[in-house]
Amino acid sequence: MRSQELGKQRAEAVKQWLTSPGNVPATTISVQSVGETQPVATNETSQGRKQNRNVSIVVFPKQ
């Protein structure tokens, strides 16, 4: 499985958690996997690859 697909699955799992027990409306959450296109660390080492396994959550206030 490609890293980007795995990242998308992780992000979707976070979205599910926020919408189910967290009661956040699904329409207010957007999921995007940037995967290998925007790494935060090098993929040359196991420590760097570990740092690249992350999910960013952006919260938009109610309008």
Side-chain angles (χ1 to χ4, degrees):
M1 177 177 300
R2 288 195 57 210
S3 294
Q4 191 151 353
E5 181 58 33
L6 186 56
K8 176 84 170 168
Q9 288 178 0
R10 286 187 179 120
E12 287 291 345
V14 171
K15 180 179 179 177
Q16 289 238 302
W17 182 85
L18 288 170
T19 58
S20 294
N23 295 320
V24 176
T27 57
T28 63
I29 300 173
S30 174
V31 173
Q32 179 181 14
S33 177
V34 294
E36 299 162 346
T37 62
Q38 296 178 18
V40 297
T42 180
N43 281 312
E44 299 295 318
T45 66
S46 62
Q47 186 64 28
R49 288 188 295 275
K50 185 184 283 187
Q51 288 177 339
N52 286 329
R53 295 182 201 119
N54 63 71
V55 173
S56 296
I57 300 172
V58 178
V59 179
F60 297 97
K62 287 185 177 180
Q63 296 291 333

